[in-house]
Coordinates of all heavy atoms in Angstrom, one line a residue:
M11 N -51.2 13.1 40.5 CA -50.5 14.2 40.0 C -49.0 14.2 40.4 O -48.6 13.8 41.5 CB -51.1 15.5 40.7 CG -50.5 16.8 40.2 SD -51.5 18.2 40.6 CE -50.9 18.7 42.1
A12 N -48.2 14.5 39.4 CA -46.7 14.4 39.6 C -46.3 15.6 40.5 O -46.8 16.7 40.4 CB -46.0 14.5 38.3
K13 N -45.3 15.3 41.4 CA -44.8 16.3 42.2 C -43.7 17.0 41.5 O -42.8 16.5 40.8 CB -44.2 15.6 43.5 CG -43.7 16.6 44.5 CD -43.5 15.9 45.9 CE -42.5 14.8 45.9 NZ -42.2 14.3 47.2
V14 N -43.6 18.3 41.7 CA -42.6 19.2 41.2 C -41.3 18.9 41.9 O -41.3 18.9 43.2 CB -42.9 20.7 41.3 CG1 -41.8 21.5 40.8 CG2 -44.2 21.0 40.5
P15 N -40.2 18.6 41.3 CA -38.9 18.3 42.0 C -38.5 19.5 42.9 O -38.7 20.6 42.5 CB -37.9 18.1 40.8 CG -38.7 17.8 39.6 CD -40.0 18.5 39.8
A16 N -37.9 19.1 44.0 CA -37.5 20.1 44.9 C -36.4 21.1 44.3 O -36.4 22.3 44.6 CB -36.9 19.5 46.2
A17 N -35.6 20.5 43.4 CA -34.7 21.4 42.7 C -35.4 22.5 41.9 O -34.9 23.7 42.0 CB -33.8 20.5 41.7
A18 N -36.5 22.2 41.3 CA -37.2 23.2 40.5 C -37.9 24.2 41.5 O -37.9 25.4 41.2 CB -38.2 22.6 39.6
V19 N -38.4 23.7 42.6 CA -39.0 24.6 43.6 C -38.0 25.6 44.2 O -38.3 26.8 44.2 CB -39.7 23.8 44.7 CG1 -40.2 24.7 45.8 CG2 -40.8 22.9 44.2
A20 N -36.9 25.1 44.5 CA -35.8 25.9 45.1 C -35.3 27.0 44.1 O -35.2 28.2 44.4 CB -34.7 25.1 45.7
A21 N -35.0 26.5 42.9 CA -34.5 27.5 41.9 C -35.6 28.5 41.6 O -35.3 29.7 41.4 CB -34.1 26.7 40.6
G22 N -36.8 28.0 41.5 CA -38.0 28.9 41.2 C -38.2 29.9 42.3 O -38.6 31.1 42.0
G23 N -37.9 29.5 43.5 CA -38.0 30.5 44.6 C -37.0 31.6 44.6 O -37.3 32.7 44.8
L24 N -35.8 31.2 44.2 CA -34.7 32.3 44.1 C -35.0 33.2 42.9 O -35.0 34.4 43.1 CB -33.4 31.6 43.9 CG -32.9 30.9 45.2 CD1 -31.8 29.9 44.9 CD2 -32.4 31.9 46.2
V25 N -35.3 32.6 41.7 CA -35.6 33.4 40.6 C -36.9 34.2 40.7 O -37.0 35.4 40.5 CB -35.7 32.6 39.3 CG1 -36.1 33.4 38.1 CG2 -34.3 31.9 39.0
G26 N -38.0 33.5 41.2 CA -39.3 34.2 41.4 C -39.2 35.2 42.4 O -39.9 36.3 42.3
G27 N -38.5 35.0 43.5 CA -38.4 36.0 44.6 C -37.8 37.2 44.1 O -38.3 38.3 44.4
Y28 N -36.7 37.1 43.4 CA -36.1 38.3 42.8 C -37.0 39.0 41.8 O -37.1 40.2 41.8 CB -34.7 37.9 42.2 CG -34.1 39.1 41.5 CD1 -33.6 40.2 42.3 CD2 -34.1 39.3 40.1 CE1 -33.1 41.3 41.7 CE2 -33.5 40.4 39.5 CZ -33.1 41.4 40.3 OH -32.6 42.6 39.7
G29 N -37.6 38.2 40.9 CA -38.5 38.8 39.9 C -39.6 39.6 40.5 O -39.9 40.7 40.1
V30 N -40.3 39.0 41.5 CA -41.4 39.7 42.2 C -40.9 40.9 42.9 O -41.6 42.0 42.8 CB -42.1 38.7 43.2 CG1 -43.0 39.4 44.1 CG2 -42.8 37.6 42.4
A31 N -39.8 40.8 43.6 CA -39.3 42.0 44.3 C -38.9 43.1 43.3 O -39.2 44.3 43.5 CB -38.0 41.7 45.1
R32 N -38.3 42.8 42.2 CA -37.9 43.8 41.2 C -39.1 44.4 40.5 O -39.2 45.6 40.4 CB -37.0 43.1 40.2 CG -36.5 44.1 39.1 CD -35.5 43.5 38.2 NE -35.1 44.4 37.2 CZ -33.9 44.6 36.8 NH1 -32.9 43.8 37.2 NH2 -33.6 45.5 35.8
W33 N -40.0 43.6 40.0 CA -41.1 44.1 39.2 C -42.2 44.8 40.1 O -42.9 45.7 39.6 CB -41.7 43.1 38.3 CG -40.8 42.7 37.2 CD1 -40.1 43.6 36.4 CD2 -40.3 41.4 36.8 NE1 -39.3 43.0 35.5 CE2 -39.4 41.6 35.7 CE3 -40.6 40.2 37.2 CZ2 -38.8 40.6 35.1 CZ3 -40.0 39.1 36.5 CH2 -39.1 39.3 35.5
S34 N -42.4 44.3 41.3 CA -43.4 45.0 42.2 C -42.8 46.2 42.9 O -43.6 47.0 43.4 CB -43.9 44.0 43.2 OG -43.0 43.7 44.2
K35 N -41.5 46.2 42.9 CA -40.8 47.3 43.7 C -41.1 47.1 45.2 O -41.0 48.1 46.0 CB -41.1 48.7 43.2 CG -40.7 48.9 41.8 CD -40.6 50.3 41.4 CE -40.3 50.5 39.9 NZ -39.5 49.7 39.2
K36 N -41.5 45.9 45.6 CA -41.7 45.6 47.0 C -40.9 44.4 47.4 O -41.3 43.3 47.1 CB -43.2 45.4 47.2 CG -44.1 46.6 46.8 CD -45.4 46.5 47.5 CE -46.3 47.7 47.1 NZ -45.7 49.0 47.2
R37 N -39.8 44.7 48.1 CA -38.9 43.6 48.5 C -39.6 42.6 49.4 O -39.3 41.4 49.3 CB -37.7 44.2 49.2 CG -36.8 45.0 48.3 CD -35.7 45.6 49.0 NE -34.8 44.6 49.4 CZ -33.5 44.8 49.6 NH1 -33.0 46.0 49.5 NH2 -32.7 43.8 50.0
Q38 N -40.5 43.0 50.2 CA -41.2 42.1 51.1 C -42.0 41.0 50.3 O -42.0 39.9 50.7 CB -42.2 42.8 52.0 CG -41.5 43.8 52.9 CD -41.3 45.2 52.3 OE1 -41.5 45.4 51.1 NE2 -40.9 46.2 53.1
L39 N -42.6 41.4 49.2 CA -43.3 40.4 48.4 C -42.3 39.4 47.8 O -42.7 38.2 47.8 CB -44.1 41.1 47.2 CG -45.3 41.9 47.6 CD1 -45.9 42.5 46.4 CD2 -46.3 41.0 48.3
G40 N -41.2 39.8 47.4 CA -40.2 38.9 46.9 C -39.7 38.0 48.0 O -39.5 36.8 47.8
G41 N -39.6 38.5 49.2 CA -39.3 37.7 50.4 C -40.3 36.6 50.7 O -39.9 35.5 51.1
V42 N -41.6 36.9 50.5 CA -42.6 36.0 50.7 C -42.5 34.8 49.7 O -42.6 33.6 50.1 CB -44.0 36.6 50.6 CG1 -45.1 35.6 50.5 CG2 -44.3 37.6 51.7
V43 N -42.2 35.1 48.5 CA -42.0 34.1 47.5 C -40.8 33.2 47.8 O -40.8 32.0 47.8 CB -41.8 34.7 46.0 CG1 -41.4 33.6 45.0 CG2 -43.1 35.4 45.6
L44 N -39.7 33.9 48.2 CA -38.4 33.2 48.5 C -38.6 32.3 49.7 O -38.2 31.1 49.7 CB -37.4 34.3 48.9 CG -36.0 33.7 49.2 CD1 -35.2 33.3 48.0 CD2 -35.2 34.8 50.0
V45 N -39.2 32.8 50.8 CA -39.4 32.0 52.0 C -40.4 30.8 51.7 O -40.2 29.7 52.2 CB -39.9 32.8 53.2 CG1 -40.3 32.0 54.3 CG2 -38.7 33.8 53.6
G46 N -41.5 31.1 51.0 CA -42.5 30.1 50.7 C -41.9 28.9 49.9 O -42.1 27.8 50.3
A47 N -41.2 29.3 48.9 CA -40.6 28.2 48.1 C -39.5 27.5 48.9 O -39.4 26.2 48.7 CB -40.0 28.8 46.8
G48 N -38.8 28.2 49.7 CA -37.8 27.5 50.5 C -38.4 26.5 51.5 O -37.8 25.4 51.7
A49 N -39.5 26.9 52.1 CA -40.2 26.0 53.0 C -40.7 24.8 52.3 O -40.6 23.6 52.8 CB -41.4 26.8 53.7
V50 N -41.3 24.9 51.1 CA -41.8 23.8 50.3 C -40.6 22.9 50.0 O -40.7 21.6 50.1 CB -42.6 24.2 49.1 CG1 -42.9 23.1 48.2 CG2 -43.8 25.0 49.5
A51 N -39.5 23.5 49.5 CA -38.4 22.7 49.1 C -37.8 21.9 50.3 O -37.4 20.8 50.2 CB -37.3 23.5 48.5
A52 N -37.7 22.6 51.5 CA -37.2 22.0 52.7 C -38.0 20.8 53.1 O -37.4 19.8 53.5 CB -37.1 23.0 53.8
R53 N -39.3 20.9 53.0 CA -40.2 19.8 53.4 C -39.9 18.6 52.4 O -39.8 17.5 52.9 CB -41.6 20.2 53.3 CG -42.6 19.1 53.9 CD -44.0 19.6 53.9 NE -44.6 19.7 52.6 CZ -45.1 20.8 52.2 NH1 -45.2 21.9 52.9 NH2 -45.6 20.9 50.9
Q54 N -39.8 18.9 51.1 CA -39.5 17.8 50.2 C -38.1 17.2 50.5 O -37.9 16.0 50.4 CB -39.5 18.3 48.8 CG -41.0 18.6 48.3 CD -41.0 19.0 46.8 OE1 -41.3 20.1 46.5 NE2 -40.6 18.1 45.9
W55 N -37.1 18.1 50.7 CA -35.8 17.6 51.0 C -35.8 16.6 52.2 O -35.1 15.6 52.2 CB -34.8 18.7 51.3 CG -34.5 19.5 50.0 CD1 -34.4 19.1 48.8 CD2 -34.2 20.9 50.0 NE1 -34.1 20.1 47.9 CE2 -34.0 21.2 48.6 CE3 -34.1 21.9 51.0 CZ2 -33.6 22.5 48.2 CZ3 -33.8 23.2 50.5 CH2 -33.5 23.5 49.2
K56 N -36.5 17.0 53.3 CA -36.6 16.2 54.5 C -37.2 14.8 54.1 O -36.8 13.8 54.6 CB -37.3 16.9 55.6 CG -37.3 16.1 56.9 CD -37.9 16.9 58.0 CE -37.8 16.1 59.3 NZ -38.5 16.8 60.4
Q57 N -38.3 14.8 53.4 CA -39.0 13.6 53.0 C -38.1 12.7 52.1 O -38.1 11.5 52.3 CB -40.3 13.9 52.2 CG -41.4 14.5 53.1 CD -42.6 15.0 52.2 OE1 -42.5 15.1 51.0 NE2 -43.6 15.3 52.9
Q58 N -37.3 13.3 51.2 CA -36.6 12.5 50.3 C -35.2 12.1 50.8 O -34.7 11.0 50.4 CB -36.4 13.3 49.0 CG -37.6 13.6 48.2 CD -37.5 14.6 47.1 OE1 -36.4 15.2 47.0 NE2 -38.5 14.7 46.3
A59 N -34.6 12.9 51.6 CA -33.2 12.7 52.0 C -32.9 12.7 53.5 O -31.8 12.5 53.9 CB -32.3 13.6 51.3
G60 N -33.9 13.1 54.3 CA -33.7 13.1 55.8 C -33.4 14.5 56.3 O -33.1 15.5 55.5
G61 N -33.4 14.6 57.6 CA -33.2 15.9 58.2 C -31.9 16.6 58.0 O -31.8 17.8 57.8
K62 N -30.8 15.8 58.1 CA -29.5 16.4 58.0 C -29.3 17.0 56.6 O -28.8 18.1 56.4 CB -28.4 15.4 58.3 CG -28.2 15.1 59.7 CD -27.0 14.2 60.0 CE -27.0 13.8 61.5 NZ -25.8 13.0 61.8
A63 N -29.7 16.2 55.6 CA -29.6 16.7 54.2 C -30.5 17.9 54.0 O -30.1 18.9 53.3 CB -30.0 15.6 53.2
A64 N -31.7 17.9 54.5 CA -32.6 19.0 54.4 C -32.0 20.3 55.1 O -32.0 21.4 54.5 CB -33.9 18.7 55.1
G65 N -31.3 20.1 56.2 CA -30.7 21.2 56.8 C -29.5 21.8 56.0 O -29.4 23.0 55.9
A66 N -28.7 20.9 55.4 CA -27.6 21.4 54.6 C -28.1 22.1 53.3 O -27.6 23.1 52.9 CB -26.7 20.2 54.2
L67 N -29.2 21.5 52.7 CA -29.7 22.1 51.5 C -30.4 23.5 51.8 O -30.3 24.4 51.0 CB -30.7 21.2 50.8 CG -30.0 20.0 50.1 CD1 -31.0 19.0 49.7 CD2 -29.2 20.5 48.9
T68 N -31.0 23.6 53.0 CA -31.7 24.8 53.4 C -30.6 25.9 53.6 O -30.7 27.0 53.2 CB -32.5 24.6 54.6 OG1 -33.6 23.7 54.3 CG2 -33.1 25.9 55.1
A69 N -29.5 25.5 54.2 CA -28.4 26.4 54.4 C -27.8 26.8 53.1 O -27.4 28.0 52.9 CB -27.3 25.8 55.3
T70 N -27.7 25.9 52.1 CA -27.2 26.2 50.8 C -28.2 27.2 50.1 O -27.7 28.2 49.5 CB -27.1 24.9 49.9 OG1 -26.2 24.1 50.6 CG2 -26.6 25.2 48.5
Y71 N -29.5 27.0 50.3 CA -30.5 28.0 49.7 C -30.3 29.4 50.3 O -30.3 30.3 49.5 CB -31.9 27.4 50.0 CG -33.0 28.1 49.5 CD1 -33.4 28.0 48.1 CD2 -33.8 29.0 50.3 CE1 -34.5 28.6 47.6 CE2 -34.9 29.6 49.8 CZ -35.3 29.4 48.5 OH -36.4 30.1 48.0
I72 N -30.1 29.5 51.6 CA -30.0 30.8 52.2 C -28.6 31.4 51.8 O -28.6 32.6 51.5 CB -30.1 30.6 53.8 CG1 -31.5 30.2 54.1 CG2 -29.6 31.9 54.5 CD1 -31.6 29.7 55.6
A73 N -27.6 30.6 51.8 CA -26.3 31.1 51.3 C -26.3 31.6 49.9 O -25.7 32.6 49.5 CB -25.2 30.0 51.5
A74 N -27.0 30.9 49.0 CA -27.2 31.3 47.7 C -27.9 32.6 47.6 O -27.4 33.5 46.8 CB -27.9 30.2 46.9
F75 N -28.9 32.8 48.3 CA -29.6 34.1 48.3 C -28.7 35.2 48.8 O -28.6 36.2 48.1 CB -30.8 34.0 49.3 CG -31.4 35.4 49.6 CD1 -32.1 36.1 48.6 CD2 -31.3 35.9 50.8 CE1 -32.6 37.4 48.9 CE2 -31.8 37.2 51.1 CZ -32.5 37.9 50.2
A76 N -28.0 35.0 49.9 CA -27.0 36.0 50.4 C -25.9 36.2 49.4 O -25.5 37.4 49.2 CB -26.5 35.6 51.7
G77 N -25.4 35.2 48.8 CA -24.3 35.3 47.9 C -24.6 35.9 46.6 O -23.7 36.5 45.9
S78 N -25.9 35.9 46.2 CA -26.3 36.5 45.0 C -26.1 38.0 45.0 O -25.8 38.6 43.9 CB -27.7 36.2 44.6 OG -28.6 36.8 45.5
H79 N -26.1 38.6 46.1 CA -26.0 40.1 46.2 C -24.6 40.6 45.9 O -24.5 41.4 45.0 CB -26.4 40.6 47.6 CG -27.9 40.4 47.9 ND1 -28.4 39.2 48.2 CD2 -28.9 41.3 47.8 CE1 -29.8 39.3 48.4 NE2 -30.1 40.6 48.1
P80 N -23.5 40.1 46.5 CA -22.2 40.5 46.1 C -21.9 40.0 44.6 O -21.2 40.8 43.9 CB -21.3 40.0 47.1 CG -22.0 38.9 47.8 CD -23.5 39.2 47.7
L81 N -22.4 38.9 44.3 CA -22.1 38.4 42.9 C -22.7 39.3 41.9 O -22.2 39.5 40.8 CB -22.6 37.0 42.8 CG -22.4 36.3 41.4 CD1 -20.9 36.2 41.1 CD2 -23.0 34.9 41.5
A82 N -23.9 39.8 42.2 CA -24.6 40.7 41.3 C -23.8 42.0 41.0 O -23.9 42.5 39.9 CB -26.0 41.1 41.8
K83 N -23.0 42.4 41.9 CA -22.1 43.6 41.6 C -21.0 43.3 40.6 O -20.5 44.2 40.0 CB -21.5 44.1 42.9 CG -22.6 44.6 43.9 CD -22.0 45.1 45.2 CE -23.1 45.6 46.1 NZ -22.6 46.1 47.4
K84 N -20.7 42.0 40.5 CA -19.7 41.7 39.5 C -20.2 41.3 38.2 O -19.6 41.6 37.1 CB -18.8 40.5 40.1 CG -18.1 40.9 41.4 CD -17.3 39.7 41.9 CE -16.8 40.0 43.3 NZ -15.4 40.4 43.3
V85 N -21.3 40.5 38.1 CA -21.8 40.0 36.9 C -23.2 40.5 36.5 O -23.7 40.2 35.4 CB -21.9 38.4 36.9 CG1 -20.5 37.9 37.1 CG2 -22.9 37.9 37.9
G86 N -23.9 41.3 37.3 CA -25.2 41.7 37.0 C -26.2 40.9 37.8 O -26.0 39.8 38.2
A87 N -27.4 41.5 38.0 CA -28.4 40.9 38.9 C -28.9 39.6 38.4 O -28.9 38.6 39.1 CB -29.5 41.9 39.2
W88 N -29.5 39.6 37.1 CA -30.1 38.4 36.6 C -29.1 37.3 36.5 O -29.4 36.1 36.8 CB -30.8 38.7 35.3 CG -32.2 39.3 35.6 CD1 -32.6 40.5 35.3 CD2 -33.3 38.6 36.2 NE1 -33.9 40.7 35.7 CE2 -34.4 39.6 36.2 CE3 -33.5 37.4 36.7 CZ2 -35.6 39.3 36.8 CZ3 -34.8 37.1 37.3 CH2 -35.8 38.0 37.3
P89 N -27.9 37.5 35.9 CA -26.9 36.4 35.8 C -26.6 35.9 37.2 O -26.4 34.6 37.4 CB -25.7 37.1 35.2 CG -26.2 38.2 34.4 CD -27.4 38.7 35.2
A90 N -26.5 36.7 38.2 CA -26.2 36.2 39.6 C -27.3 35.4 40.1 O -27.1 34.3 40.6 CB -25.9 37.4 40.5
V91 N -28.5 35.8 39.9 CA -29.7 35.0 40.4 C -29.8 33.7 39.7 O -30.0 32.7 40.3 CB -31.0 35.9 40.2 CG1 -32.2 35.0 40.5 CG2 -31.0 37.1 41.2
F92 N -29.6 33.7 38.4 CA -29.7 32.5 37.6 C -28.5 31.5 38.0 O -28.7 30.3 38.1 CB -29.7 32.7 36.1 CG -31.0 33.2 35.6 CD1 -31.1 34.3 34.8 CD2 -32.2 32.5 35.9 CE1 -32.3 34.8 34.3 CE2 -33.4 33.0 35.4 CZ -33.5 34.1 34.6
G93 N -27.4 32.1 38.2 CA -26.2 31.3 38.6 C -26.4 30.6 40.0 O -26.2 29.4 40.1
V94 N -26.9 31.3 41.0 CA -27.1 30.7 42.3 C -28.3 29.8 42.3 O -28.2 28.7 42.9 CB -27.2 31.7 43.4 CG1 -25.9 32.6 43.5 CG2 -28.4 32.6 43.3
A95 N -29.3 30.1 41.5 CA -30.4 29.2 41.4 C -30.0 27.9 40.7 O -30.4 26.8 41.2 CB -31.6 29.8 40.5
G96 N -29.2 27.9 39.7 CA -28.7 26.7 39.1 C -27.8 25.9 40.1 O -27.9 24.7 40.1
A97 N -27.0 26.6 40.9 CA -26.2 25.8 41.8 C -27.0 25.1 42.9 O -26.8 24.0 43.2 CB -25.2 26.8 42.5
V98 N -28.1 25.8 43.4 CA -29.0 25.2 44.3 C -29.7 24.0 43.7 O -29.9 23.0 44.3 CB -29.9 26.3 44.9 CG1 -31.0 25.6 45.7 CG2 -29.2 27.2 45.8
A99 N -30.2 24.2 42.5 CA -30.9 23.1 41.8 C -30.0 21.9 41.6 O -30.4 20.8 41.9 CB -31.4 23.6 40.5
L100 N -28.8 22.1 41.3 CA -27.8 21.0 41.1 C -27.6 20.3 42.4 O -27.6 19.1 42.5 CB -26.5 21.5 40.5 CG -25.4 20.5 40.3 CD1 -25.9 19.4 39.3 CD2 -24.2 21.1 39.7
A101 N -27.4 21.1 43.5 CA -27.2 20.5 44.8 C -28.4 19.7 45.2 O -28.3 18.6 45.8 CB -26.9 21.6 45.8
S102 N -29.6 20.2 45.0 CA -30.8 19.6 45.4 C -31.0 18.2 44.6 O -31.3 17.2 45.2 CB -32.0 20.5 45.1 OG -33.2 19.8 45.4
W103 N -30.7 18.3 43.3 CA -30.8 17.1 42.5 C -29.8 16.0 43.0 O -30.2 14.9 43.2 CB -30.5 17.4 41.1 CG -30.5 16.2 40.2 CD1 -31.6 15.5 39.7 CD2 -29.4 15.4 39.8 NE1 -31.2 14.4 39.1 CE2 -29.9 14.3 39.1 CE3 -28.0 15.5 40.0 CZ2 -29.0 13.3 38.6 CZ3 -27.2 14.6 39.5 CH2 -27.7 13.5 38.8
A104 N -28.6 16.4 43.3 CA -27.5 15.5 43.7 C -27.8 14.9 45.0 O -27.6 13.7 45.2 CB -26.2 16.2 43.7
V105 N -28.4 15.6 46.0 CA -28.6 15.1 47.3 C -29.9 14.5 47.5 O -30.1 13.5 48.2 CB -28.4 16.3 48.4 CG1 -28.8 15.9 49.8 CG2 -27.0 16.8 48.3
A106 N -31.0 15.0 46.9 CA -32.3 14.5 47.2 C -33.1 14.1 46.0 O -33.7 12.9 46.0 CB -33.1 15.7 47.9
D107 N -33.2 14.8 45.0 CA -34.1 14.5 43.9 C -33.8 13.3 43.1 O -34.7 12.5 42.7 CB -34.2 15.7 42.9 CG -35.0 16.9 43.5 OD1 -35.8 16.7 44.4 OD2 -34.7 18.0 43.1
R108 N -32.5 13.0 42.8 CA -32.2 11.9 42.0 C -32.4 10.5 42.7 O -32.5 9.5 42.1 CB -30.7 11.9 41.6 CG -29.7 11.6 42.6 CD -28.3 11.7 42.0 NE -27.3 11.6 43.1 CZ -26.2 11.1 43.0 NH1 -25.8 10.6 41.8 NH2 -25.3 11.1 44.0
H109 N -32.6 10.6 44.0 CA -32.9 9.4 44.8 C -34.4 9.1 45.0 O -34.8 8.1 45.5 CB -32.3 9.4 46.2 CG -30.8 9.6 46.2 ND1 -29.9 8.7 45.6 CD2 -30.0 10.7 46.6 CE1 -28.7 9.1 45.7 NE2 -28.7 10.3 46.3
A110 N -35.2 10.2 44.6 CA -36.7 10.1 44.9 C -37.3 9.3 43.7 O -36.9 9.1 42.7 CB -37.3 11.4 45.0

């Protein structure tokens, strides 16, 4: 079975976490999706690119989540989430996925 690229897992965690939180009206459920996908992506990053790269990409993932909040005030919630998810996916591909 083919493995889902870490870039897709991380981007899916950001988009899915927001979607679940918004549609369920339960932020905690969105947080579970966000953290779960982040953990899966971090494990893949470590396997593919090593511990330092995994740490940097995990920090990028967390910063993207945090940065989406003020960005949403300027461009709207969904554009902000898609924007940061794309940025994380690109970083993941550049650092880990394209070498796998």
Side-chain angles (χ1 to χ4, degrees):
M11 183 164 89
K13 183 166 57 169
V14 176
V19 173
L24 289 162
V25 173
Y28 175 69
V30 167
R32 181 173 177 142
W33 289 313
S34 72
K35 300 197 184 330
K36 300 203 181 307
R37 293 177 66 156
Q38 298 85 351
L39 288 178
V42 168
V43 172
L44 181 80
V45 170
V50 170
R53 186 175 70 236
Q54 286 184 248
W55 291 328
K56 185 174 181 184
Q57 290 172 348
Q58 294 171 350
K62 286 184 182 183
L67 287 167
T68 300
T70 301
Y71 183 80
I72 294 167
F75 167 70
S78 69
H79 292 81
L81 183 60
K83 293 179 181 179
K84 296 179 191 260
V85 300
W88 280 112
V91 170
F92 285 128
V94 300
V98 168
L100 181 61
S102 176
W103 176 82
V105 173
D107 290 335
R108 74 178 170 150
H109 303 297

